[in-house]
Structure formats: C-alpha cells, structure tokens
Amino acid sequence: MAKTHAFPGHAPNPLSCFTCQSRSRSEWCVLSDEDLDLLDQAKVTKTYRPGQIIIAQGDPCRGIYCIGSGTVALRKTDAEALEPCTICFIETPSLCRLLDHNPTLGFKFLEHLAHDLANAEETILQNVSLPVRTRLAHLLLTLKDRYGSVDDAGTLVISLPMRRQDIADLLGTRAETIARTIRTLEQDQVASFSGRRVMIPDLDNLLDEIDPVDH
Amino acid sequence: MAKTHAFPGHAPNPLSCFTCQSRSRSEWCVLSDEDLDLLDQAKVTKTYRPGQIIIAQGDPCRGIYCIGSGTVALRKTDAEALEPCTICFIETPSLCRLLDHNPTLGFKFLEHLAHDLANAEETILQNVSLPVRTRLAHLLLTLKDRYGSVDDAGTLVISLPMRRQDIADLLGTRAETIARTIRTLEQDQVASFSGRRVMIPDLDNLLDEIDPVDH
DNA sequence: CGGGGGTTTGAGTCCGTTCAAAATACGTGG
DNA sequence: CCACGTATTTTGAACGGACTCAAACCCCCG
C-alpha cells in the first residue's frame, strides 16, 4: 500500500469506519456490516490543524460531519478545529440511502437531537438562573471527563481545549468576566489556573459550587 | 349517534384524525389513510379547561401528546392549559407501529426536533445578547400571528394567552421587569397594554425595536 | 527584539434583581 | 349585583452582578 501524505483539511482516507473508535459512541453503531461498508465507501475524510475553519456561516449544507477524533468549536459564525481533528463528511444522498436501509439509524439521530434539545433547554435555564461562577464550575466538571487527569499528588488537572473567549461564549458572558471569576475561584482555593491548565486539589470544593451544602 | 358529554381532562373522542385541523400542520400529514385509521383508533382525546395541569414533572413518559386545539404552557415543572384545549394522547407502542409502517413519519419528527433545537439555540443567543425590551418586542411579534387581529381603526390588537409571569418565564426574567418594560414601551408609544390586551397602532415602531433603523 | 493575539485589571455605569408594599383584577358565594 | 378573599400586577427604593471601555500586561512567534 502506498504511503498516504495527509495535509490540512484535505487528506486521503486514513480511517476505516470498521475500526473507527468513535463509531461505538455514535449513531453508526446500529449499522450492519453491509451498511457500514456503504458508509465507508461514501465518506470523505479530512484532517484539520488547530485554528482551521471547518465550515463557515452561509456554506451550503450538503451532508453531515462525523468527528473521528479531536475537538471542534461550533459557533454561530463558523466551526473551528481546536485540536488536530480527523473529520469525515457524508453527502446527503448517501446518508438517505443508509437511512432507507436501516430505520433504526433514523431513530438514533432522533435520540441524538432529543438530547441536544434537552441540553439546550437546560442551558437556557442555567443562563438565567445561575451566576457565571456556578456555570463555570459546571463547565469545568463537564470538561474533566474528556480533558482531565489525576497527577501524582492526587490533584485533578484539566487541560482546557479552548481560550478564555471561547469559555465566555459558551457561558454566554465576556472574557473579562471569565478572568475575574477565575480569580475569585482561585482566592477561594477551589481551583488554580495557569494558562489552559486547571488544577483542582479537591473536587468536593468544585461540587459545592454547583450544589452548595450547608455545613 | 349518542350525544357525548365532555368533561375536563377526561372526554370521549369528539375528534377524528381524518378531519383534525392540526393534522396538516403536524407530522401526521404524511400518513396514508390506512395508517391514519390506525392513529385514529389508537389515540385518546381529552379536553382541558384553562388552568388545568396536563402533565407534571416526574410523570412517567408513556407516549406523545398531540394538541388539536388550544394553547399550552410548557414549564420545567409541568404543562398547563392556558386556553380550553383538546389534546390527544398516543401510547408509545402505537407510535412505534406507525413509525415502522411509515419511515417518512420518523423523518418528520426529526425535522420537528431540528427546528426546536434551532429555536432553543436562538433563544440562548438572544437571552445573552439582547435586552428584555427587545426580547419582549420579539415575543409580541411572534404572538401576533396566532393571537393578533386588526380592528376598525387599523390598529393591531393582540390578546395575550398568558399572564405577565409566564411572559417573564419565557423571556428569562421577572414579572416586575416585564411590568416596567411594558411601561417604557407605552411611554415610547410603541404599544399600549390593558390587561391581556395589547394595542399596536404602528407595527413599524415594534419592528424598530428589533432592528433599529438609523433615521 | 518588535509585533500581535490573548488575557488581566481597573473604574464607572447600567440593567435587571430583590424585597416589600400598594393597587388592581378575578372568582366565588351571598 | 355586590362584597370579600385571593391571585396577579404594578410601583418604589436599594442593591449588585455583569458589562463597557480602556489600558496594561503577557506570551508566543517570527
């Protein structure tokens, strides 16, 4: 097999749907081997470097994107790779063919959207009812699952995949407010920040931010 | 045919899916006559008076609700009839049978959820980027389609289906703030409120609230 | 070493909140 | 039809969290 040379946003297929790690976590897990082969043929894989724009507002919608690996920032104006990303694209006609073959697939997408909707509504509630500090604590707790690890001293360390500005956007506030909130969090010994590294010596303190316990 | 006596929240079927006005506007519009018959058999119709609770937080989810007529307030804690409502209930097994028969139906639900999600994300954006006054103007503009009419003098009149508190909840703010905002809107001649009646002499003024034009 | 993003800090302001009280609308029974 | 109790709406005053604007600071990179 000839060696493939990947270049940003435009690469030959280095990925097979059959071995794709993200498949088990995605809608495609319900596909038969036959349909999976169809998907594998139809998909186009690209790689992106951090900072690259994947789609921009106004781009026509010709299919769906499936993130094999990496992290993406989805904004109102565009979608940007935050980490090195491998992303497959499946054109609408191919998707429809799969949907026809396999009704369960549609069901999975339905479930996905339902979850997204539930999350969006939860965000609406939290934005109006919780202060920035609590929302930030909530975000850290979410990020720890994917970007957190525990060091020798037993301290939780999170490597944030995004800038302060992105955090602000996510929480519906300003970068300045994030900076100030981080400061208060540090003063209260809940977490210490250094660049994109967050250290949390005691997770309980963070949990108390979300659900304050009377002592 | 025996006369049916409707009582709140518990009525014999006064509605047929075949003649239902809301069908053309709902997912069910894709059903064949055969499937429609299935739906008609499966559904259970109930009527509700204003103020009645339709579902409460914690209730098990045994199927879906289809609003034939009326208006409902959907809250985190419950769903309340705001107007007299006729609502059908379809149990999950029946829904699944229909979904099996007709793949397009699933597609329609997918579309529905996609719209809801888009709306929810739009709400998130508006809540953090627009002041209450603009959001209220936006709401009035939305409500006018369903609850608005034009009187002899050419004035747009909207009969709000909800209380101030509900408006506040919808906009993510407080009833007091709504009262105050209404006052400023009246001072600026944009609209005049009297109870649940809103009068808007010039729609352009309301539109300017959303998208201020330089004069 | 000189940009140029990104981040932090400061001071002042404003919008919306909170709490409390008064005014008004509404439904019910007399 | 009116009186009465309750729920809703309105108003006021004080407070506060987050915003705005502006400047300084930091890093990273060429």
Side-chain angles (χ1 to χ4, degrees):
Chain A
M1 194 203 215
K3 186 185 174 195
T4 59
H5 181 69
F7 55 98
H10 219 268
N13 288 357
L15 265 187
S16 158
C17 293
F18 288 93
T19 58
C20 182
Q21 290 297 313
S22 78
R23 178 162 58 92
S24 59
R25 281 177 271 114
S26 78
E27 285 67 36
W28 312 119
C29 66
V30 301
L31 291 188
S32 65
D33 276 12
E34 189 190 348
D35 286 339
L36 205 53
D37 197 53
L38 218 67
L39 177 64
D40 196 55
Q41 302 281 325
K43 76 168 198 303
V44 178
T45 307
K46 291 186 182 179
T47 64
Y48 299 85
R49 282 172 307 179
Q52 274 198 296
I53 300 302
I54 295 154
I55 42 174
Q57 192 176 38
D59 284 355
C61 173
R62 302 204 193 288
I64 65 169
Y65 293 83
C66 179
I67 303 176
S69 65
T71 302
V72 155
L74 188 55
R75 294 187 255 263
K76 190 174 177 63
T77 52
D78 57 26
E80 176 192 340
L82 296 180
E83 299 173 336
C85 287
T86 305
I87 300 177
C88 296
F89 180 74
I90 299 102
E91 289 187 342
T92 309
S94 304
L95 178 63
C96 286
R97 211 171 319 137
L98 284 166
L99 242 24
D100 267 356
H101 275 223
N102 196 328
T104 320
L105 183 61
F107 230 88
K108 281 287 167 186
F109 278 110
L110 206 55
E111 278 180 1
H112 193 143
L113 272 188
H115 278 131
D116 285 354
L117 181 57
N119 284 338
E121 297 193 326
E122 186 64 27
T123 300
I124 292 174
L125 276 179
Q126 295 201 350
N127 277 350
V128 302
S129 62
L130 300 177
V132 171
R133 174 163 167 151
T134 310
R135 282 182 271 153
L136 179 56
H138 221 95
L139 178 62
L140 288 176
L141 228 38
T142 308
L143 291 175
K144 90 161 167 34
D145 295 332
R146 203 159 144 63
Y147 305 98
S149 61
V150 179
D151 72 3
D152 305 336
T155 296
L156 172 62
V157 179
I158 306 177
S159 296
L160 301 178
M162 61 194 121
R163 324 168 287 165
R164 300 285 189 266
Q165 179 61 60
D166 293 321
I167 296 179
D169 291 345
L170 228 38
L171 301 185
T173 183
R174 306 284 142 157
E176 297 97 315
T177 303
I178 294 298
R180 280 184 247 274
T181 307
I182 283 176
R183 168 155 279 279
T184 72
L185 237 31
E186 286 181 326
Q187 283 166 351
D188 296 345
Q189 315 272 324
V190 178
S192 64
F193 291 70
S194 110
R196 294 191 174 188
R197 246 189 170 54
V198 192
M199 264 148 300
I200 299 162
D202 188 353
L203 193 59
D204 286 341
N205 292 339
L206 195 60
L207 292 169
D208 284 353
E209 294 293 326
I210 283 138
D211 193 17
V213 290
D214 329 72
H215 49 83
Chain B
M1 193 206 217
K3 186 185 175 195
T4 59
H5 181 69
F7 54 99
H10 219 268
N13 288 356
L15 265 188
S16 158
C17 294
F18 288 92
T19 58
C20 182
Q21 290 296 313
S22 77
R23 179 163 58 91
S24 59
R25 284 177 270 114
S26 79
E27 286 66 36
W28 312 118
C29 67
V30 301
L31 291 188
S32 66
D33 275 13
E34 187 191 349
D35 285 341
L36 204 54
D37 197 53
L38 218 68
L39 177 63
D40 197 55
Q41 302 282 326
K43 76 168 198 304
V44 178
T45 306
K46 291 187 182 179
T47 64
Y48 299 85
R49 283 172 307 178
Q52 275 198 295
I53 300 301
I54 296 154
I55 42 174
Q57 193 177 37
D59 283 356
C61 173
R62 304 204 193 288
I64 65 169
Y65 293 83
C66 180
I67 303 177
S69 66
T71 303
V72 156
L74 188 56
R75 295 187 254 263
K76 191 175 176 62
T77 51
D78 56 26
E80 177 191 340
L82 296 180
E83 299 172 335
C85 287
T86 306
I87 300 177
C88 296
F89 179 74
I90 300 102
E91 289 187 342
T92 308
S94 305
L95 178 63
C96 286
R97 211 171 319 137
L98 284 166
L99 242 22
D100 267 354
H101 276 223
N102 196 328
T104 319
L105 184 62
F107 230 88
K108 282 286 167 187
F109 278 110
L110 207 54
E111 279 180 0
H112 193 144
L113 272 188
H115 278 132
D116 286 353
L117 181 57
N119 284 337
E121 297 193 327
E122 186 64 27
T123 299
I124 292 175
L125 276 180
Q126 296 200 351
N127 277 351
V128 302
S129 61
L130 299 177
V132 171
R133 175 162 166 151
T134 310
R135 271 142 60 198
L136 179 56
H138 221 94
L139 178 62
L140 289 177
L141 227 39
T142 306
L143 292 175
K144 90 161 166 34
D145 296 331
R146 203 158 144 64
Y147 305 98
S149 61
V150 179
D151 72 4
D152 305 336
T155 296
L156 173 62
V157 179
I158 305 175
S159 296
L160 301 178
M162 61 193 121
R163 324 169 288 164
R164 301 285 188 264
Q165 179 62 60
D166 293 322
I167 296 179
D169 291 345
L170 228 36
L171 301 185
T173 182
R174 303 287 142 150
E176 296 97 315
T177 302
I178 294 298
R180 281 183 247 274
T181 306
I182 283 175
R183 168 155 279 278
T184 72
L185 239 30
E186 287 182 325
Q187 283 166 352
D188 297 344
Q189 315 273 322
V190 177
S192 65
F193 291 70
S194 114
R196 294 191 175 188
R197 253 196 162 49
V198 193
M199 266 148 299
I200 299 162
D202 189 354
L203 193 59
D204 286 341
N205 292 339
L206 195 60
L207 292 168
D208 285 353
E209 293 294 326
I210 282 138
D211 193 17
V213 289
D214 329 73
H215 50 84

